[in-house]
Coordinates of all heavy atoms in Angstrom, one line a residue:
M2 N 116.8 107.5 113.4 CA 116.0 106.4 113.2 C 116.3 105.4 114.3 O 117.5 105.0 114.4 CB 116.1 105.8 111.8 CG 115.4 104.5 111.7 SD 115.6 103.8 110.1 CE 113.9 104.0 109.4
P3 N 115.4 104.9 115.1 CA 115.7 104.0 116.2 C 116.1 102.6 115.6 O 115.7 102.2 114.5 CB 114.4 103.8 117.0 CG 113.3 104.3 116.1 CD 114.0 105.2 115.1
S4 N 116.9 101.9 116.4 CA 117.3 100.6 116.0 C 116.2 99.6 116.1 O 115.2 99.9 116.7 CB 118.5 100.1 116.9 OG 118.0 99.8 118.2
F5 N 116.4 98.5 115.5 CA 115.3 97.4 115.6 C 115.0 97.1 117.0 O 113.9 97.0 117.4 CB 115.8 96.2 114.8 CG 114.9 95.0 114.9 CD1 113.7 94.9 114.1 CD2 115.1 94.0 115.8 CE1 112.9 93.9 114.2 CE2 114.3 92.9 115.9 CZ 113.1 92.9 115.1
L6 N 116.0 96.9 117.8 CA 115.9 96.6 119.3 C 115.1 97.7 120.0 O 114.2 97.4 120.9 CB 117.2 96.2 119.9 CG 117.8 94.9 119.4 CD1 119.1 94.7 120.1 CD2 116.9 93.7 119.7
E7 N 115.5 98.9 119.7 CA 114.8 100.1 120.4 C 113.3 100.1 120.0 O 112.4 100.3 120.7 CB 115.4 101.4 120.0 CG 116.8 101.6 120.7 CD 117.5 102.8 120.2 OE1 117.2 103.3 119.1 OE2 118.4 103.3 120.9
S8 N 113.0 99.9 118.7 CA 111.7 99.9 118.2 C 110.9 98.8 118.8 O 109.7 98.9 119.2 CB 111.6 99.7 116.7 OG 112.3 100.8 116.0
L9 N 111.5 97.6 119.0 CA 110.9 96.4 119.7 C 110.6 96.8 121.1 O 109.5 96.6 121.6 CB 111.7 95.2 119.6 CG 111.2 94.0 120.1 CD1 109.9 93.5 119.5 CD2 112.3 92.8 120.0
Y10 N 111.6 97.3 121.8 CA 111.5 97.7 123.2 C 110.3 98.7 123.5 O 109.5 98.6 124.4 CB 112.8 98.3 123.8 CG 112.6 98.7 125.2 CD1 112.7 97.8 126.2 CD2 112.4 100.1 125.5 CE1 112.6 98.2 127.6 CE2 112.4 100.4 126.8 CZ 112.4 99.5 127.8 OH 112.3 99.9 129.2
Y11 N 110.2 99.7 122.6 CA 109.2 100.8 122.8 C 107.9 100.5 122.2 O 107.0 101.3 122.1 CB 109.7 102.1 122.2 CG 110.9 102.7 123.0 CD1 112.2 102.8 122.6 CD2 110.6 103.1 124.3 CE1 113.2 103.3 123.3 CE2 111.7 103.7 125.1 CZ 113.0 103.8 124.6 OH 114.0 104.2 125.3
G12 N 107.7 99.2 121.7 CA 106.4 98.8 121.2 C 106.1 99.4 119.9 O 104.9 99.5 119.5
Q13 N 107.0 99.8 119.1 CA 106.8 100.4 117.8 C 106.7 99.4 116.7 O 106.3 99.7 115.6 CB 107.9 101.4 117.5 CG 107.9 102.6 118.5 CD 109.2 103.4 118.3 OE1 110.1 103.0 117.8 NE2 109.1 104.6 118.9
L14 N 106.9 98.1 117.0 CA 106.8 97.0 116.0 C 105.5 96.3 116.3 O 105.4 95.7 117.4 CB 108.0 96.1 116.1 CG 109.4 96.7 115.7 CD1 110.5 95.7 115.8 CD2 109.3 97.2 114.2
N15 N 104.7 96.2 115.3 CA 103.5 95.5 115.5 C 103.1 94.8 114.1 O 102.4 95.4 113.3 CB 102.3 96.3 115.9 CG 101.1 95.5 116.2 OD1 101.0 94.3 116.0 ND2 100.1 96.2 116.7
P16 N 103.7 93.6 113.9 CA 103.5 92.9 112.6 C 102.0 92.7 112.2 O 101.7 92.7 111.0 CB 104.2 91.6 112.7 CG 105.1 91.8 113.9 CD 104.5 92.8 114.8
A17 N 101.2 92.6 113.2 CA 99.7 92.3 112.9 C 99.1 93.5 112.1 O 98.2 93.4 111.4 CB 99.0 92.0 114.2
E18 N 99.6 94.7 112.4 CA 99.1 95.9 111.7 C 99.4 95.9 110.3 O 98.7 96.6 109.5 CB 99.6 97.2 112.4 CG 99.1 97.5 113.7 CD 99.7 98.7 114.4 OE1 100.7 99.3 113.8 OE2 99.2 99.1 115.4
K19 N 100.5 95.2 109.9 CA 100.9 95.2 108.5 C 100.5 93.9 107.8 O 101.1 93.6 106.8 CB 102.4 95.5 108.4 CG 102.7 96.9 108.9 CD 104.2 97.1 108.9 CE 104.5 98.5 109.5 NZ 105.9 98.8 109.6
A20 N 99.6 93.2 108.3 CA 99.3 91.8 107.9 C 98.3 91.8 106.8 O 97.4 91.0 106.8 CB 98.9 90.9 109.0
V21 N 98.4 92.8 105.8 CA 97.5 92.8 104.7 C 98.1 92.1 103.5 O 99.3 92.4 103.2 CB 97.1 94.3 104.3 CG1 96.3 94.3 103.1 CG2 96.4 95.0 105.5
S22 N 97.4 91.2 102.9 CA 98.0 90.4 101.9 C 98.3 91.2 100.7 O 97.6 92.1 100.3 CB 97.0 89.3 101.5 OG 97.4 88.6 100.4
N23 N 99.4 90.9 100.0 CA 99.7 91.5 98.7 C 99.2 90.6 97.6 O 99.4 91.0 96.4 CB 101.3 91.5 98.6 CG 101.9 92.5 99.6 OD1 101.3 93.5 99.9 ND2 103.1 92.3 100.0
D24 N 98.5 89.6 97.9 CA 97.9 88.7 96.8 C 96.9 89.5 96.1 O 96.1 90.2 96.6 CB 97.3 87.5 97.5 CG 96.8 86.4 96.5 OD1 96.2 86.8 95.5 OD2 97.2 85.3 96.7
P25 N 96.9 89.5 94.7 CA 96.0 90.2 93.9 C 94.6 89.8 94.1 O 93.7 90.7 94.0 CB 96.4 89.9 92.5 CG 97.6 89.1 92.5 CD 97.9 88.7 93.9
Q26 N 94.3 88.7 94.7 CA 92.9 88.2 94.9 C 92.4 88.8 96.2 O 91.2 88.8 96.4 CB 92.8 86.7 94.9 CG 93.1 86.0 93.6 CD 92.9 84.6 93.7 OE1 93.3 84.0 94.7 NE2 92.3 83.9 92.7
Y27 N 93.3 89.4 97.0 CA 92.8 89.8 98.4 C 91.7 90.9 98.3 O 90.7 90.8 98.9 CB 94.0 90.4 99.1 CG 93.7 91.0 100.5 CD1 93.5 90.2 101.6 CD2 93.5 92.4 100.6 CE1 93.1 90.7 102.8 CE2 93.1 92.9 101.8 CZ 92.9 92.1 102.9 OH 92.5 92.6 104.1
R28 N 91.9 91.9 97.5 CA 90.9 92.9 97.3 C 89.6 92.4 96.8 O 88.5 92.8 97.2 CB 91.4 94.1 96.5 CG 92.5 94.9 97.1 CD 92.7 96.2 96.3 NE 93.9 96.9 96.8 CZ 93.9 97.8 97.7 NH1 92.8 98.2 98.3 NH2 95.0 98.4 98.1
Q29 N 89.7 91.5 95.8 CA 88.5 90.9 95.2 C 87.7 90.1 96.2 O 86.5 90.3 96.4 CB 88.9 90.0 94.0 CG 87.7 89.4 93.4 CD 88.1 88.4 92.3 OE1 89.2 88.3 91.9 NE2 87.1 87.6 91.8
V30 N 88.4 89.3 97.0 CA 87.7 88.4 98.0 C 87.2 89.3 99.1 O 86.1 89.1 99.6 CB 88.7 87.4 98.5 CG1 88.1 86.6 99.7 CG2 89.1 86.4 97.4
S31 N 87.9 90.3 99.5 CA 87.4 91.3 100.5 C 86.2 92.0 100.1 O 85.3 92.1 100.9 CB 88.5 92.3 100.8 OG 88.2 93.2 101.9
R32 N 86.1 92.4 98.9 CA 85.0 93.1 98.3 C 83.8 92.1 98.3 O 82.6 92.5 98.7 CB 85.3 93.6 96.9 CG 84.1 94.4 96.4 CD 84.4 95.1 94.9 NE 85.8 95.2 94.6 CZ 86.5 94.4 93.8 NH1 85.9 93.4 93.2 NH2 87.8 94.6 93.5
Q33 N 84.0 90.8 97.9 CA 83.0 89.8 97.9 C 82.4 89.6 99.3 O 81.2 89.4 99.4 CB 83.5 88.5 97.3 CG 83.7 88.6 95.8 CD 84.3 87.3 95.3 OE1 85.2 86.6 95.9 NE2 84.0 86.9 94.0
L34 N 83.3 89.5 100.2 CA 82.9 89.4 101.6 C 82.0 90.5 102.1 O 80.9 90.3 102.7 CB 84.1 89.3 102.5 CG 83.9 89.1 104.0 CD1 83.1 87.8 104.3 CD2 85.2 89.1 104.8
S35 N 82.4 91.8 101.8 CA 81.6 92.9 102.1 C 80.2 92.9 101.5 O 79.2 93.2 102.1 CB 82.3 94.2 101.8 OG 83.5 94.4 102.5
E36 N 80.2 92.6 100.2 CA 78.9 92.5 99.5 C 78.0 91.4 100.0 O 76.8 91.5 100.2 CB 79.2 92.2 98.0 CG 79.8 93.4 97.3 CD 80.3 93.1 95.9 OE1 80.2 91.9 95.4 OE2 80.8 94.0 95.2
S37 N 78.6 90.2 100.4 CA 77.9 89.1 101.0 C 77.3 89.5 102.3 O 76.1 89.1 102.6 CB 78.8 87.9 101.1 OG 78.1 86.8 101.6
M38 N 78.1 90.2 103.1 CA 77.6 90.7 104.4 C 76.4 91.6 104.3 O 75.4 91.5 105.0 CB 78.7 91.4 105.2 CG 79.7 90.4 105.8 SD 79.0 89.2 107.0 CE 78.7 90.3 108.3
E39 N 76.4 92.5 103.3 CA 75.3 93.3 103.0 C 74.1 92.5 102.6 O 72.9 92.8 103.1 CB 75.6 94.4 101.9 CG 76.6 95.5 102.4 CD 75.9 96.3 103.5 OE1 74.7 96.6 103.5 OE2 76.7 96.5 104.5
V40 N 74.2 91.5 101.8 CA 73.1 90.7 101.5 C 72.5 90.0 102.6 O 71.3 90.0 102.9 CB 73.6 89.6 100.4 CG1 72.4 88.5 100.2 CG2 73.9 90.3 99.0
W41 N 73.4 89.4 103.5 CA 72.9 88.7 104.7 C 72.2 89.8 105.7 O 71.3 89.4 106.3 CB 74.0 88.0 105.4 CG 74.3 86.7 104.8 CD1 75.4 86.4 104.0 CD2 73.5 85.5 104.8 NE1 75.3 85.1 103.5 CE2 74.1 84.5 104.0 CE3 72.3 85.2 105.4 CZ2 73.6 83.3 103.8 CZ3 71.7 83.9 105.2 CH2 72.4 83.0 104.5
K42 N 72.7 91.0 105.7 CA 72.1 92.0 106.6 C 70.6 92.3 106.2 O 69.8 92.5 107.0 CB 72.9 93.3 106.5 CG 72.5 94.3 107.5 CD 73.5 95.5 107.5 CE 73.2 96.4 108.7 NZ 74.1 97.5 108.8
K43 N 70.4 92.2 104.9 CA 69.1 92.5 104.4 C 68.2 91.3 104.5 O 66.9 91.4 104.8 CB 69.1 92.9 102.9 CG 69.8 94.2 102.6 CD 69.9 94.4 101.1 CE 70.7 95.8 100.9 NZ 70.9 96.0 99.5
K44 N 68.7 90.0 104.5 CA 68.0 88.8 104.6 C 67.6 88.5 106.1 O 66.5 88.0 106.3 CB 68.8 87.6 104.2 CG 68.9 87.5 102.7 CD 69.6 86.2 102.4 CE 69.8 86.0 100.9 NZ 70.5 84.7 100.5
L45 N 68.4 88.8 107.0 CA 68.2 88.5 108.4 C 67.6 89.6 109.2 O 67.7 90.7 108.9 CB 69.6 88.1 109.0 CG 70.3 86.9 108.4 CD1 71.7 86.8 109.0 CD2 69.5 85.6 108.5
S46 N 67.0 89.1 110.3 CA 66.5 90.1 111.3 C 67.7 90.8 111.9 O 68.8 90.2 111.8 CB 65.6 89.4 112.4 OG 66.4 88.6 113.2
D47 N 67.4 91.9 112.6 CA 68.6 92.5 113.3 C 69.2 91.7 114.3 O 70.5 91.6 114.4 CB 68.1 93.8 114.0 CG 67.7 94.9 113.0 OD1 68.2 94.8 111.9 OD2 67.0 95.9 113.4
D48 N 68.5 90.9 115.1 CA 69.0 89.9 116.1 C 69.8 88.8 115.4 O 70.9 88.5 115.9 CB 67.9 89.4 116.9 CG 67.3 90.4 117.9 OD1 67.9 91.4 118.2 OD2 66.2 90.1 118.3
D49 N 69.3 88.3 114.4 CA 70.0 87.2 113.7 C 71.3 87.7 113.0 O 72.3 87.0 113.1 CB 69.1 86.5 112.6 CG 68.0 85.7 113.2 OD1 68.1 85.3 114.4 OD2 67.0 85.4 112.4
F50 N 71.3 88.9 112.5 CA 72.4 89.4 111.9 C 73.5 89.7 112.9 O 74.7 89.5 112.8 CB 72.1 90.7 111.1 CG 73.4 91.3 110.3 CD1 73.8 90.6 109.2 CD2 74.0 92.4 110.8 CE1 75.0 91.1 108.6 CE2 75.1 92.9 110.1 CZ 75.6 92.2 109.0
H51 N 73.1 90.2 114.1 CA 74.0 90.4 115.2 C 74.6 89.2 115.7 O 75.8 89.1 115.9 CB 73.2 91.1 116.4 CG 74.0 91.4 117.6 ND1 75.0 92.4 117.5 CD2 74.2 90.8 118.8 CE1 75.6 92.5 118.7 NE2 75.1 91.5 119.5
E52 N 73.9 88.1 115.7 CA 74.4 86.8 116.0 C 75.5 86.3 115.0 O 76.5 85.7 115.3 CB 73.3 85.7 116.1 CG 72.5 85.8 117.4 CD 71.5 84.7 117.5 OE1 71.8 83.5 117.1 OE2 70.3 84.9 118.0
L53 N 75.2 86.6 113.7 CA 76.1 86.3 112.7 C 77.4 87.1 112.9 O 78.5 86.5 112.8 CB 75.5 86.6 111.3 CG 76.4 86.4 110.1 CD1 77.0 84.9 110.0 CD2 75.8 86.8 108.8
E54 N 77.3 88.3 113.2 CA 78.5 89.2 113.4 C 79.3 88.7 114.6 O 80.5 88.6 114.6 CB 78.1 90.6 113.7 CG 77.6 91.3 112.4 CD 77.3 92.8 112.7 OE1 76.5 93.1 113.7 OE2 77.7 93.7 112.0
E55 N 78.6 88.2 115.7 CA 79.3 87.6 116.8 C 80.1 86.4 116.5 O 81.2 86.1 116.9 CB 78.3 87.4 118.0 CG 77.8 88.6 118.7 CD 76.8 88.4 119.7 OE1 76.3 87.2 119.8 OE2 76.5 89.3 120.5
L56 N 79.4 85.5 115.6 CA 80.1 84.3 115.2 C 81.3 84.7 114.3 O 82.4 84.1 114.6 CB 79.1 83.5 114.3 CG 79.7 82.3 113.6 CD1 80.1 81.2 114.7 CD2 78.7 81.6 112.7
L57 N 81.2 85.6 113.5 CA 82.4 86.0 112.6 C 83.5 86.7 113.5 O 84.6 86.5 113.2 CB 81.9 87.0 111.5 CG 81.0 86.4 110.5 CD1 80.5 87.4 109.5 CD2 81.8 85.3 109.7
D58 N 83.1 87.4 114.6 CA 84.0 87.9 115.5 C 84.8 86.8 116.2 O 86.1 86.9 116.4 CB 83.4 88.8 116.6 CG 83.0 90.2 116.0 OD1 83.5 90.6 114.9 OD2 82.2 90.9 116.6
L59 N 84.2 85.8 116.6 CA 84.8 84.6 117.2 C 85.8 84.0 116.2 O 86.9 83.6 116.6 CB 83.8 83.6 117.7 CG 83.0 83.9 118.9 CD1 81.9 82.9 119.2 CD2 83.9 84.1 120.1
Y60 N 85.3 83.9 115.0 CA 86.2 83.3 113.9 C 87.5 84.2 113.8 O 88.6 83.7 113.6 CB 85.5 83.2 112.6 CG 86.2 82.6 111.5 CD1 86.6 81.2 111.6 CD2 86.7 83.3 110.5 CE1 87.3 80.6 110.6 CE2 87.4 82.8 109.5 CZ 87.8 81.4 109.5 OH 88.5 80.9 108.5
R61 N 87.3 85.5 113.7 CA 88.4 86.4 113.6 C 89.4 86.3 114.8 O 90.6 86.3 114.6 CB 88.0 87.8 113.5 CG 87.5 88.2 112.0 CD 87.3 89.7 111.9 NE 86.0 90.1 112.5 CZ 84.9 90.1 111.8 NH1 84.8 89.8 110.5 NH2 83.8 90.5 112.4
Q62 N 88.8 86.0 116.0 CA 89.7 85.8 117.2 C 90.5 84.6 117.0 O 91.7 84.6 117.3 CB 88.9 85.8 118.4 CG 88.3 87.1 118.9 CD 87.4 86.9 120.1 OE1 87.6 86.1 120.9 NE2 86.4 87.8 120.2
V63 N 89.9 83.5 116.5 CA 90.6 82.2 116.3 C 91.7 82.5 115.3 O 92.9 82.1 115.4 CB 89.7 81.1 115.9 CG1 90.4 79.9 115.4 CG2 88.8 80.7 117.0
Q64 N 91.4 83.2 114.2 CA 92.4 83.5 113.1 C 93.5 84.3 113.7 O 94.7 84.0 113.4 CB 91.8 84.3 112.0 CG 91.0 83.5 111.0 CD 90.5 84.4 109.9 OE1 90.0 85.4 110.1 NE2 90.8 83.9 108.6
G65 N 93.3 85.2 114.6 CA 94.3 86.0 115.2 C 95.2 85.2 116.1 O 96.5 85.3 116.0
L66 N 94.7 84.3 116.8 CA 95.5 83.4 117.6 C 96.3 82.4 116.7 O 97.5 82.2 117.0 CB 94.6 82.5 118.5 CG 93.9 83.3 119.6 CD1 92.8 82.4 120.3 CD2 94.8 83.8 120.6
E67 N 95.8 82.0 115.6 CA 96.5 81.1 114.7 C 97.6 81.9 114.0 O 98.7 81.4 113.8 CB 95.5 80.5 113.6 CG 94.6 79.5 114.2 CD 93.6 79.0 113.1 OE1 93.4 79.7 112.1 OE2 92.9 78.0 113.4
M68 N 97.3 83.2 113.7 CA 98.4 84.0 113.1 C 99.5 84.3 114.0 O 100.7 84.3 113.6 CB 97.8 85.3 112.6 CG 96.9 85.2 111.3 SD 96.1 86.7 110.9 CE 97.5 87.9 110.7
A69 N 99.2 84.5 115.3 CA 100.2 84.7 116.3 C 101.1 83.5 116.5 O 102.3 83.5 116.6 CB 99.6 85.1 117.6
A70 N 100.4 82.3 116.5 CA 101.2 81.1 116.6 C 102.1 80.8 115.4 O 103.2 80.4 115.6 CB 100.2 79.9 116.9
S71 N 101.5 81.1 114.3 CA 102.3 80.9 113.1 C 103.5 81.9 113.0 O 104.6 81.5 112.6 CB 101.4 81.2 111.8 OG 102.1 81.0 110.6
F72 N 103.3 83.1 113.4 CA 104.4 84.1 113.4 C 105.5 83.6 114.4 O 106.6 83.6 114.0 CB 103.9 85.4 113.9 CG 105.0 86.5 114.1 CD1 105.5 87.1 113.0 CD2 105.5 86.7 115.3 CE1 106.5 88.1 113.1 CE2 106.5 87.6 115.5 CZ 107.0 88.3 114.4
T73 N 105.1 83.2 115.6 CA 106.0 82.7 116.6 C 106.8 81.5 116.1 O 108.0 81.4 116.2 CB 105.3 82.3 117.9 OG1 104.6 83.5 118.4 CG2 106.2 81.9 119.0
D74 N 106.1 80.5 115.5 CA 106.7 79.3 115.0 C 107.7 79.7 113.9 O 108.8 79.1 113.8 CB 105.7 78.3 114.5 CG 104.9 77.7 115.6 OD1 105.4 77.8 116.8 OD2 103.9 77.1 115.4
G75 N 107.3 80.6 112.9 CA 108.1 81.0 111.9 C 109.4 81.7 112.4 O 110.5 81.5 111.8
F76 N 109.2 82.5 113.4 CA 110.3 83.2 113.9 C 111.4 82.3 114.5 O 112.5 82.4 114.4 CB 109.9 84.3 115.0 CG 111.0 85.2 115.4 CD1 111.2 86.4 114.8 CD2 111.8 84.9 116.5 CE1 112.2 87.2 115.2 CE2 112.8 85.7 116.9 CZ 113.0 86.9 116.3
K77 N 110.8 81.3 115.3 CA 111.7 80.3 115.9 C 112.4 79.5 114.8 O 113.6 79.1 115.0 CB 110.8 79.3 116.8 CG 110.4 80.0 118.1 CD 109.5 79.1 118.9 CE 109.0 79.7 120.1 NZ 108.1 78.8 120.9
L78 N 111.7 79.1 113.8 CA 112.3 78.3 112.7 C 113.4 79.1 112.0 O 114.5 78.6 111.8 CB 111.2 78.0 111.7 CG 111.7 77.3 110.4 CD1 112.3 75.9 110.8 CD2 110.6 77.1 109.4
G79 N 113.2 80.4 111.8 CA 114.2 81.2 111.3 C 115.4 81.4 112.1 O 116.6 81.3 111.7
A80 N 115.2 81.5 113.5 CA 116.3 81.6 114.4 C 117.0 80.3 114.5 O 118.3 80.4 114.5 CB 115.7 82.0 115.8
S81 N 116.3 79.2 114.4 CA 117.0 77.9 114.4 C 117.9 77.7 113.2 O 119.0 77.2 113.3 CB 116.0 76.8 114.5 OG 115.2 76.8 115.7
M82 N 117.4 78.2 112.1 CA 118.2 78.1 110.9 C 119.5 78.9 111.0 O 120.6 78.4 110.6 CB 117.4 78.5 109.6 CG 116.4 77.6 109.2 SD 115.6 78.0 107.6 CE 114.7 79.5 108.0
I83 N 119.4 80.1 111.5 CA 120.6 81.0 111.7 C 121.6 80.3 112.7 O 122.8 80.3 112.4 CB 120.2 82.4 112.2 CG1 119.4 83.1 111.1 CG2 121.4 83.2 112.7 CD1 118.8 84.4 111.5
I84 N 121.1 79.8 113.7 CA 121.9 79.1 114.7 C 122.6 77.9 114.1 O 123.8 77.8 114.3 CB 121.1 78.6 116.0 CG1 120.7 79.8 116.8 CG2 121.9 77.6 116.8 CD1 119.6 79.5 117.8
E85 N 121.9 77.2 113.3 CA 122.5 76.0 112.6 C 123.6 76.4 111.6 O 124.7 75.9 111.6 CB 121.5 75.2 111.9 CG 122.1 73.9 111.2 CD 121.0 73.0 110.6 OE1 119.9 72.9 111.2 OE2 121.3 72.5 109.5
V86 N 123.3 77.5 110.9 CA 124.3 78.0 109.9 C 125.6 78.5 110.6 O 126.7 78.2 110.2 CB 123.7 79.1 109.0 CG1 124.8 79.9 108.2 CG2 122.6 78.6 108.1
Y87 N 125.4 79.3 111.7 CA 126.5 79.8 112.4 C 127.3 78.7 113.1 O 128.6 78.7 113.2 CB 126.1 80.9 113.4 CG 126.0 82.2 112.8 CD1 124.8 82.9 112.8 CD2 127.1 82.8 112.2 CE1 124.7 84.2 112.2 CE2 127.0 84.1 111.6 CZ 125.7 84.7 111.6 OH 125.6 86.0 111.0
S88 N 126.6 77.7 113.6 CA 127.3 76.6 114.3 C 128.1 75.7 113.3 O 129.2 75.1 113.7 CB 126.3 75.7 115.0 OG 125.5 75.0 114.2
E89 N 127.8 75.7 112.0 CA 128.6 74.9 111.1 C 129.7 75.7 110.6 O 130.8 75.1 110.1 CB 127.7 74.6 109.9 CG 126.7 73.5 110.3 CD 125.7 73.1 109.1 OE1 126.0 73.6 107.9 OE2 124.8 72.4 109.3
I90 N 129.7 77.1 110.7 CA 130.8 77.9 110.3 C 131.9 77.8 111.3 O 133.1 77.8 111.0 CB 130.4 79.4 110.1 CG1 129.4 79.5 108.9 CG2 131.6 80.3 109.9 CD1 128.8 80.8 108.7
V91 N 131.6 77.7 112.6 CA 132.6 77.8 113.6 C 133.3 76.5 113.8 O 133.5 75.6 113.4 CB 132.0 78.2 115.0 CG1 133.0 78.1 116.1 CG2 131.4 79.6 114.8

């Protein structure tokens, strides 16, 4: 089994791939979203529905950028805590 650093180097670590919520409401809300999209698909013309999909794609891109920033900030916070703990020991 490769070490953590080797996995990181070879690009085998991708936290975004495992970013599925364990919250019990996740599946319910996801199902509601899918059902709502089907309702809108029936209500709107093909062009209007395509515009809605493009809008939602932009929203997902923003969410992805926010998740990446949050991950980075969280990692830095965790590293700072470890540094502080070790500096107080020495």
Side-chain angles (χ1 to χ4, degrees):
M2 173 182 250
S4 71
F5 175 81
L6 291 176
E7 288 172 337
S8 296
L9 182 62
Y10 177 79
Y11 290 113
Q13 296 167 340
L14 294 177
N15 189 353
E18 288 179 350
K19 298 178 182 176
V21 176
S22 175
N23 291 328
D24 189 309
Q26 292 182 323
Y27 176 80
R28 287 190 191 270
Q29 177 185 354
V30 172
S31 181
R32 190 176 335 105
Q33 287 174 327
L34 177 61
S35 294
E36 290 169 0
S37 181
M38 286 297 289
E39 285 301 316
V40 169
W41 281 106
K42 189 172 186 176
K43 292 175 185 175
K44 283 184 181 182
L45 299 174
S46 69
D47 288 342
D48 288 340
D49 288 343
F50 185 72
H51 182 70
E52 285 184 39
L53 176 61
E54 287 182 313
E55 287 178 346
L56 175 65
L57 293 173
D58 285 342
L59 289 173
Y60 182 71
R61 280 188 284 269
Q62 288 178 30
V63 168
Q64 278 185 314
L66 294 170
E67 289 172 346
M68 286 175 57
S71 180
F72 175 83
T73 302
D74 291 343
F76 191 89
K77 289 177 182 178
L78 179 62
S81 295
M82 287 189 292
I83 291 171
I84 290 168
E85 184 175 320
V86 168
Y87 277 117
S88 68
E89 290 178 6
I90 293 174
V91 175

